[in-house]
Amino acid sequence: MTEEQIKKASQHFENLVREQLERVERMKSEPDWTDFSSLEKIIIGACSGDGIGPAITEAAIIVLKFLLDSQIKSGKVEIRRIDGLTIENRVKVMKAIPDDVLAELKACHTILKGPTTTPWKGNKYGWPNIESANVSMRRELDLFANVRPVRVPEKNIDWMFYRENTEGAYVLGSQGVDVSDDLAIDFKVITNQGSDRIIRAAFEYAKKNKINKVTVVTKANVVKKTDGKFLSVAEQVAKEYPEVEWDDWYIDIMTAKLIDPARQSSFKVITAPNLYGDIVTDEAAQIQGGLGTAGAANIGKIYSMFEAVHGSALKMVDDGRERFADPTSMIKATSMLLNHIGFSDQSVMLDKALDICSQYEKKMVVTGRDTGVTGEKMAEYIIETIKDPDLEKKWQSYQ
Ligand code: IPM
Ligand code: MN
């Protein structure tokens, strides 16, 4: 019996190694970045997800349509709805992303994505423990950079996280083995190519924005092979950016230093393998005011996807409160999308309006229940703020 178990586990491992070696080869012949300015028409897929997803995506679409009104009318931009990425549909076909939905996603140039429910073991809804749609989409569309900005002006915090998004503890997260009833093994994958492209993206961002500091987060003193590789690739890449200083921290002390008032504002651009990036960006979002305030860009060379950092909040739907869900994170994601596809003026205006509406003026607030306004009302408030010819002046007055 034991011999058989060992053989089965070894065979499984062999298959994974083969797949990963093939992935490395694919990465070696990666295409160049999409040039949005050369596209005749940009197709934005609006994928509403499930839970509170449809409600907050709808609010974001209202804002997006307003900002790209003339481009939509002239046919330069199309907003295409993709509604099939629900937990019910995914469970029906037992796939993280149903094939038809994946094909629809791949027919777009960029995607605005609402949260999607990630089932967990023993959930009360009776869903099988299928793979997360997020993890699958990041892998299928090769969205290797998870870019998450966090700003807290009064604490002088201006962080930009470059979380690796396609490898680490996640890429085989659903392909571990139960060797026996007593022994479970998961796998963590780090490659030269995967590390190089994310670390390079972080350094490029720093260089382009004249930021003199990149911080690399690992646990390379303990997890020696994979984290060790990420760190040594960082050393190599850093040599190509002599104008950018860099340092490295271990994930445990990093989580402490992010809340250390004496140290926190010294971090600027931070890059980390997948799971550590997941952890520190939740922590950072909380420092900013909560997960509802954070948006994330998932960027690859061909595709890109923009989303809220938080989940689908099924509890709110169970209570019938989804209309009152905070769409700020999705609207923040919309601003990142606009910037990525070349509409930086619209993105800047939206950021300013978001600052005014949710941090300074706060004429309306969303509380997640009927003590506050609906997400749709919030979107209208943001649009009114953008329309104000004195937007810039108003924003300046709060600085
Ligand atoms: C995030 C989320 C996802 C992740 C979950 C939903 C799989 O927490 O985007 O950070 O862990 O990456
Ligand atoms: Mn997370």
Side-chain angles (χ1 to χ4, degrees):
M1 184 60 183
T2 311
E3 281 308 314
E4 209 173 288
Q5 286 168 332
I6 294 172
K7 231 192 217 148
K8 213 171 146 207
S10 310
Q11 183 61 54
H12 182 75
F13 182 60
E14 185 184 322
N15 293 343
L16 296 181
V17 171
R18 288 186 194 284
E19 273 169 33
Q20 290 305 311
L21 285 171
E22 278 169 23
R23 193 173 66 86
V24 167
E25 289 310 310
R26 283 202 299 278
M27 276 192 284
K28 283 186 189 165
S29 52
E30 228 168 39
D32 227 351
W33 293 91
T34 298
D35 175 12
F36 285 95
S37 67
S38 70
L39 295 177
E40 233 166 73
K41 177 192 217 169
I42 302 173
I43 303 172
I44 304 174
C47 178
S48 51
D50 54 34
I52 59 169
I56 60 174
T57 306
E58 212 46 53
I61 291 174
I62 299 174
V63 176
L64 188 58
K65 276 188 167 162
F66 168 74
L67 284 168
L68 294 183
D69 187 50
S70 63
Q71 289 81 359
I72 293 170
K73 283 189 179 133
S74 73
K76 170 83 191 152
V77 170
E78 175 189 337
I79 298 178
R80 193 178 284 179
R81 305 222 179 211
I82 301 172
D83 290 326
L85 198 61
T86 61
I87 183 70
E88 291 79 12
N89 283 349
R90 289 153 54 208
V91 163
K92 215 183 284 163
V93 294
M94 287 298 282
K95 280 199 162 172
I97 304 178
D99 293 341
D100 55 333
V101 177
L102 187 59
E104 282 182 75
L105 293 168
K106 284 189 171 173
C108 301
H109 296 106
T110 186
I111 296 153
L112 180 66
K113 174 186 162 294
T116 43
T117 301
T118 300
W120 59 100
K121 206 171 170 178
N123 64 77
K124 68 171 181 179
Y125 303 92
W127 293 315
N129 199 5
I130 56 172
E131 190 189 24
S132 149
N134 280 50
V135 175
S136 170
M137 195 182 299
R138 292 167 186 168
R139 191 184 55 235
E140 294 291 336
L141 305 183
D142 205 20
L143 308 172
F144 64 86
N146 194 326
V147 185
R148 300 183 163 181
V150 165
R151 268 192 331 117
V152 188
E154 63 272 24
K155 291 188 179 157
N156 203 16
I157 288 174
D158 197 348
W159 297 326
M160 188 59 90
F161 291 89
Y162 275 78
R163 163 187 172 188
E164 203 293 318
N165 218 16
T166 47
E167 343 196 293
Y170 276 61
V171 62
L172 299 176
S174 294
Q175 296 189 61
V177 269
D178 283 314
V179 178
S180 71
D181 284 348
D182 299 313
L183 174 63
I185 299 182
D186 271 318
F187 304 97
K188 175 166 165 172
V189 180
I190 298 271
T191 65
N192 270 342
Q193 290 70 19
S195 306
D196 187 280
R197 60 188 187 174
I198 186 71
I199 294 165
R200 197 170 287 282
F203 273 92
E204 276 296 321
Y205 175 82
K207 183 178 165 184
K208 204 166 138 199
N209 292 282
K210 302 198 168 34
I211 301 168
N212 184 28
K213 181 77 175 295
V214 171
T215 299
V216 179
V217 181
T218 68
K219 188 71 186 178
N221 53 340
V222 176
V223 189
K224 294 190 191 286
K225 291 288 179 240
T226 48
D227 284 8
K229 184 178 277 302
F230 194 87
L231 189 52
S232 60
V233 170
E235 267 170 50
Q236 292 307 318
V237 173
K239 284 188 192 145
E240 296 177 42
Y241 297 85
E243 67 276 56
V244 181
E245 275 175 35
W246 77 289
D247 57 3
D248 82 283
W249 290 77
Y250 298 132
I251 178 66
D252 47 354
I253 185 70
M254 185 70 190
T255 59
K257 290 301 165 191
L258 281 182
I259 53 169
D260 175 359
R263 174 75 72 169
Q264 55 186 182
S265 66
S266 70
F267 297 114
K268 301 289 177 209
V269 180
I270 300 134
T271 182
N274 212 335
L275 181 57
Y276 308 141
D278 181 40
I279 296 166
V280 290
T281 52
D282 265 18
E283 184 190 20
Q286 190 60 42
I287 295 168
Q288 176 176 260
L291 262 62
T293 64
N298 295 263
I299 295 173
K301 297 209 167 157
I302 304 177
Y303 297 106
S304 49
M305 179 265 276
F306 299 80
E307 63 178 344
V309 170
H310 57 77
S312 57
L314 294 173
K315 172 118 188 38
M316 290 191 77
V317 182
D318 288 350
D319 297 349
R321 289 187 282 121
E322 64 269 38
R323 286 190 313 129
F324 298 102
D326 191 349
T328 313
S329 53
M330 281 298 283
I331 297 175
K332 183 82 209 158
T334 304
S335 154
M336 296 176 84
L337 182 150
L338 286 165
N339 186 44
H340 184 69
I341 64 175
F343 297 109
S344 54
D345 290 350
Q346 286 87 337
S347 167
V348 169
M349 273 197 297
L350 180 51
D351 280 342
K352 290 191 171 154
L354 267 171
D355 278 353
I356 292 170
C357 298
S358 48
Q359 296 201 35
Y360 305 128
E361 188 182 71
K362 294 186 188 169
K363 259 198 223 155
M364 291 180 191
V365 285
V366 216
T367 61
R369 43 192 81 240
D370 60 8
T371 51
V373 298
T374 61
E376 196 182 325
K377 269 261 155 334
M378 191 67 191
E380 284 163 11
Y381 171 33
I382 290 168
I383 289 173
E384 286 314 311
T385 308
I386 298 172
K387 276 188 190 158
D388 184 347
D390 286 332
L391 169 71
E392 176 65 30
K393 238 203 220 139
K394 199 176 202 178
W395 186 79
Q396 284 295 348
S397 74
Y398 290 111
Q399 301 309 301

